[in-house]
Amino acid sequence: MLARRFVVVLLGSFALLSGSFARAQAAGEAPLDALGGHMRAEVNGETMLLPLTNSDFSVAIDGDLATVSLVQTFENPTSTPMNATYLFPLNEDAAVHAMTMQVGDEVIEAQIRRREQARQEFEQAREEGRAAALLSQHRPNMFTQEVANLMPGSTVRITIRYSQSVPRVDGAYELVLPLVVGPRYNPAPRATAQLVNETEAPRQQTGVWNIGPPPAQPRGVFGLTLPSEIAPERVSIAVDLEAGLNIANVASATHRLNVSGQGRQRRAVLAEDRVIDNHDFVLRYTLAGSAVQAGVLTHSDQRGGFFSLVVEPPAAPSEAQIMPRELVFVLDTSGSMTGEPIEASKAFMQRALTTLRPGDYFRIIQFGSTPREFTDGPVPATQANIARAAAFVRGLSADGGTEVVPAMQQAFAVRQQPDTLRIVVFLSDGYIGNEAEVLQFMAQHLGRARVYAFGVGSSVNRYLLSEMARRGRGFARYIDPTETGLEAAHDLADRLDMPVLTDIRIDWGNLAPTDVTPAIIPDLFAGDSLRLMGRFTGQRSGTIVVHGNVNGRAARMPVQVTLSDVPTNATASTSAIPIIWARAQVGDLMRDYSSSAELRTLQLNTAQLEERVTALGLEYALVTDWTSFVAVSRRIVNADPNSARNADVPLPMPAGVGPEAYGMSPAGFGGASTPEPGFYALMALLLLLGWITWRRRAAIAH
């Protein structure tokens, strides 16, 4: 009888260590039979009610610009009103520009507000018993959706709309839809960084930048604290693709697809209809015919004229023309890399060592809680040194915290070999919360080195890795060992070449664009593309010249450009240009914001940068660090707002990630520094003892 009435008992890791494995129900508590079929669990002895959510993505791609509609459906399957919070990711370059909320037959258009005002309106609505939704950004790829007064048996639908570019990566266009936020390790704050509450105004201190902590990880995690059988398959994806050339291929290495259409149009949907959101969705497509080496799109409306210029690199130089390299491999061997990720990293390294050329030098630094190096400094790429390094890599194992800054300190502390190009190769899942500290340190110590960032895992922190690559004038690539196996690691290890086109600058001729982004033009690698965006006034026609260097030799490409302020019939592609431009401007400003004053490209202080980002957010209805969307129903749906319980939408563990990634407690996701322990055998033993204790209590109850 007791077993039949027992719905779910969850054993949090703190409960394991304290001996509180299972708790008898408190006297007077409502019988579990009354909640039959409802999502109910216990974590650390505390009763939790679990809201449900579905996420439905509809993507329209026109050429290489995408508009995305994401419908989040929140349901309350319990008998208690809820205030639900959902932590979810988006593409790190997504420009979120619209949101609506539907409650019953009432549809509410969300309003963009300053973050503090949006929070106040949301909390007032919650206290009044109105349905409300609040969308907040915590990192460019990390958001929370809060829903107030989600009533029993009711459904609330939130529709988020955003735009993003689809970059060309290794010769194919690549659309990425992140589906789950992985855990984040937070080192203790150092003297060079200061963590503040995100709701506080930044304090103006010379030489000190401020970042807010990431939000708390939901206590309920499928596969960690929740049994997997109650995890719904809750994601659907449909992609409609249209291009100016015939589409040669559409494929995904992460999900099985059904693809229809021909010629210049394709439609791709998930073969399984719905899937669990435990790893990122990646779609790649190629176009038939010769690639255009430069192309311009324009858009004009009441806000003025905007343009987008895409540049392809010239042919790559031959190997004989490439200068020697000093490769510094920085390998994440923290506890979150346990299992498939560490094996993929080792496979990458074994292959990378075989690609070293005579004249190259290399180093290998592994890090968890502390860094450890293969040698005291750079060694030449001789067969003997490569063999010793291969043995070192084979012996690597995963354990400890994710202390990136000490590892990067060690990478840059050693003097570079003369007449070489230093390339720092960083392999990690990026599961940290102190991204700004890492990026600032890297910017201060880069010099002329380049950073190639390789994300290893099914749902890595793409914001951190892409920003490392952008600031390090390199590239970011990703290995999903749960889908592509170790061959992908081998393939990416062959990509450690130097950029094809460096020191890029644009001679705009008689054109006079303003607010051009990116502020610092990155180098171009074979198979990739570069997008420049800006504003213009009036009708202009002329020739611009793209200048750069190919292995030290000057290269130039003239491009005929016509910019018109006559409003055009907006296509999905051109109408997204202003939004994507504004989002790119925010990205440039935020890079300055997270940099010390002497490294900023604009002569603006922290308060001025914040105000400029806020102004862009309000003018273009963009979610930023300081602007949020809020929607409030006209009706009062909860006559007793105090009866609503706060509840998190549970998340799955990313595929291939184990409990080690979450440290001692899933509740410590966004809190203080928590080591990732190496003694889970002990925890398993304690779990067994807890189960025995529960069985004995069950027998007594019978």
Side-chain angles (χ1 to χ4, degrees):
M1 179 64 177
L2 181 61
R4 183 175 61 82
R5 293 164 53 193
F6 188 79
V7 180
V8 181
V9 173
L10 301 174
L11 304 179
S13 41
F14 278 156
L16 291 174
L17 296 178
S18 65
S20 302
F21 300 101
R23 298 174 183 265
Q25 290 196 269
E29 185 179 343
L32 289 173
D33 285 339
L35 294 175
H38 292 161
M39 296 284 282
R40 185 179 189 275
E42 289 188 5
V43 175
N44 298 337
E46 179 184 352
T47 299
M48 292 177 57
L49 301 178
L50 305 178
L52 303 175
T53 185
N54 283 341
S55 296
D56 299 287
F57 289 86
S58 298
V59 185
I61 301 177
D62 187 352
D64 64 348
L65 296 176
T67 56
V68 183
S69 176
L70 167 59
V71 179
Q72 297 171 333
T73 303
F74 294 84
E75 298 179 357
N76 182 353
T78 77
S79 57
T80 303
M82 290 184 181
N83 299 317
T85 300
Y86 177 41
L87 175 67
F88 68 99
L90 291 176
N91 188 283
E92 66 273 13
D93 293 321
V96 182
H97 59 86
M99 186 179 94
T100 58
M101 176 179 72
Q102 181 177 356
V103 184
D105 59 358
E106 184 180 4
V107 178
I108 303 98
E109 191 77 26
Q111 301 300 310
I112 195 72
R113 298 280 194 257
R114 289 180 181 267
R115 186 169 181 139
E116 298 82 1
Q117 181 182 351
R119 169 63 63 183
Q120 291 172 2
E121 292 182 14
F122 175 79
E123 292 181 352
Q124 180 179 346
R126 183 177 60 195
E127 293 169 1
E128 292 174 351
R130 302 180 192 276
L134 176 67
L135 177 63
S136 303
Q137 175 182 302
H138 304 277
R139 297 289 188 272
N141 64 338
M142 184 188 296
F143 296 76
T144 53
Q145 184 72 261
E146 297 177 63
V147 178
N149 293 306
L150 181 60
M151 301 306 291
S154 72
T155 297
V156 172
R157 287 185 176 85
I158 311 293
T159 301
I160 299 170
R161 294 181 176 86
Y162 67 89
S163 300
Q164 67 175 81
S165 61
V166 184
R168 190 166 178 260
V169 179
D170 296 338
Y173 296 94
E174 185 173 272
L175 170 74
V176 178
L177 301 178
L179 296 182
V180 63
V181 175
R184 295 293 188 270
Y185 172 88
N186 279 315
R190 305 171 217 276
T192 57
Q194 186 171 359
L195 291 174
V196 299
N197 188 296
E198 289 184 317
T199 61
E200 296 177 358
R203 293 184 288 275
Q204 301 304 307
Q205 293 181 265
T206 302
V208 175
W209 44 263
N210 304 270
I211 60 169
Q217 166 77 356
R219 289 170 295 170
V221 178
F222 297 128
L224 179 65
T225 59
L226 295 177
S228 59
E229 60 266 20
I230 64 173
E233 295 179 340
R234 54 189 182 182
V235 174
S236 74
I237 299 173
V239 180
D240 289 294
L241 172 60
E242 185 168 347
L245 298 173
N246 284 341
I247 300 167
N249 184 53
V250 178
S252 172
T254 61
H255 293 74
R256 292 197 308 116
L257 298 177
N258 289 331
V259 181
S260 58
Q262 59 184 350
R264 299 181 180 185
Q265 295 181 326
R266 293 289 191 281
R267 179 174 176 83
V269 298
L270 295 176
E272 291 87 358
D273 188 35
R274 305 194 73 85
V275 296
I276 184 66
D277 49 338
N278 65 347
H279 58 102
D280 297 343
F281 172 84
V282 181
L283 179 140
R284 288 171 62 85
Y285 60 94
T286 56
L287 304 181
S290 301
V292 178
Q293 289 194 302
V296 180
L297 292 174
T298 63
H299 176 83
S300 296
D301 57 26
Q302 69 278 8
R303 296 168 295 193
F306 303 84
F307 72 88
S308 171
L309 168 66
V310 176
V311 178
E312 305 280 353
S318 66
E319 185 172 315
Q321 298 172 312
I322 298 176
M323 69 184 300
R325 305 164 298 174
E326 181 196 274
L327 290 112
V328 184
F329 298 97
V330 183
L331 311 180
D332 181 354
T333 58
S334 64
S336 63
M337 296 287 288
T338 299
E340 293 173 327
I342 190 67
E343 293 306 316
S345 293
K346 290 161 72 170
F348 174 96
M349 281 303 306
Q350 295 289 356
R351 180 59 173 246
L353 289 170
T354 68
T355 67
L356 294 173
R357 299 188 289 263
D360 286 347
Y361 290 80
F362 71 97
R363 299 164 59 198
I364 303 175
I365 301 168
Q366 69 160 114
F367 73 93
S369 298
T370 58
R372 183 169 71 96
E373 189 161 355
F374 163 58
T375 56
D376 293 334
V379 295
T382 64
Q383 290 302 314
N385 285 334
I386 290 173
R388 289 173 52 225
F392 175 79
V393 168
R394 285 194 295 271
L396 294 178
S397 59
D399 191 23
T402 313
E403 296 283 351
V404 178
V405 172
M408 297 302 283
Q409 286 174 332
Q410 186 154 334
F412 289 105
V414 176
R415 184 183 300 274
Q416 181 178 339
Q417 287 295 300
D419 301 320
T420 64
L421 172 68
R422 172 174 280 181
I423 300 175
V424 177
V425 182
F426 182 77
L427 279 82
S428 174
D429 52 25
Y431 287 161
I432 62 170
N434 64 324
E435 295 100 327
E437 182 183 5
V438 172
L439 295 171
Q440 186 193 44
F441 176 86
M442 197 184 75
Q444 289 174 325
H445 296 86
L446 259 178
R448 295 192 59 80
R450 285 179 170 81
V451 174
Y452 298 175
F454 290 88
V456 185
S458 60
S459 189
V460 299
N461 185 355
R462 289 175 180 259
Y463 160 61
L464 170 67
L465 298 164
S466 66
E467 278 298 302
M468 292 179 76
R470 281 171 177 157
R471 301 186 189 209
R473 296 172 299 160
F475 62 73
R477 297 292 186 271
Y478 301 93
I479 306 167
D480 182 353
T482 68
E483 295 294 332
T484 57
L486 301 183
E487 332 58 88
H490 291 162
D491 292 342
L492 288 181
D494 294 333
R495 301 264 320 139
L496 299 179
D497 296 323
M498 295 193 303
V500 173
L501 189 66
T502 65
D503 307 307
I504 301 171
R505 63 181 179 86
I506 309 295
D507 180 357
W508 296 100
N510 63 342
L511 304 178
T514 60
D515 300 319
V516 177
T517 181
I520 299 176
I521 301 177
D523 296 335
L524 258 177
F525 291 80
D528 294 359
S529 61
L530 166 66
R531 184 183 299 277
L532 293 163
M533 306 186 78
R535 305 192 66 169
F536 67 92
T537 57
Q539 181 169 341
R540 310 290 180 85
S541 180
T543 301
I544 67 173
V545 181
V546 181
H547 293 273
N549 289 318
V550 178
N551 196 35
R553 294 177 298 169
R556 65 194 300 273
M557 178 174 57
V559 181
Q560 182 64 34
V561 175
T562 299
L563 306 177
S564 174
D565 61 359
V566 178
T568 57
N569 293 326
T571 65
S573 182
T574 59
S575 62
I577 291 174
I579 297 298
I580 296 176
W581 167 83
R583 174 62 185 82
Q585 282 280 303
V586 169
D588 280 344
L589 292 166
M590 291 306 297
R591 289 180 193 104
D592 267 6
Y593 183 83
S594 63
S595 300
S596 55
E598 67 274 10
L599 296 175
R600 291 174 177 171
T601 58
L602 299 173
Q603 301 302 311
L604 299 176
N605 61 34
T606 301
Q608 291 170 325
L609 289 167
E610 177 182 338
E611 189 54 40
R612 186 167 294 189
V613 169
T614 303
L616 282 167
L618 295 175
E619 181 179 358
Y620 291 87
L622 290 177
V623 177
T624 70
D625 280 40
W626 298 291
T627 51
S628 300
F629 273 120
V630 61
V632 176
S633 70
R634 292 181 294 275
R635 305 174 191 160
I636 293 177
V637 298
N638 188 2
D640 182 15
N642 292 329
S643 67
R645 298 186 61 173
N646 296 331
D648 295 325
V649 174
L651 304 180
M653 282 199 298
V657 168
E660 296 87 352
Y662 290 79
M664 290 296 296
S665 168
F669 173 95
S673 174
T674 305
E676 296 167 291
F679 46 90
Y680 285 91
L682 174 61
M683 295 177 65
L685 175 61
L686 294 176
L687 177 60
L688 175 61
L689 293 175
W691 179 81
I692 293 172
T693 301
W694 175 79
R695 292 285 296 179
R696 287 176 177 172
R697 291 180 179 176
I700 294 173
H702 280 291

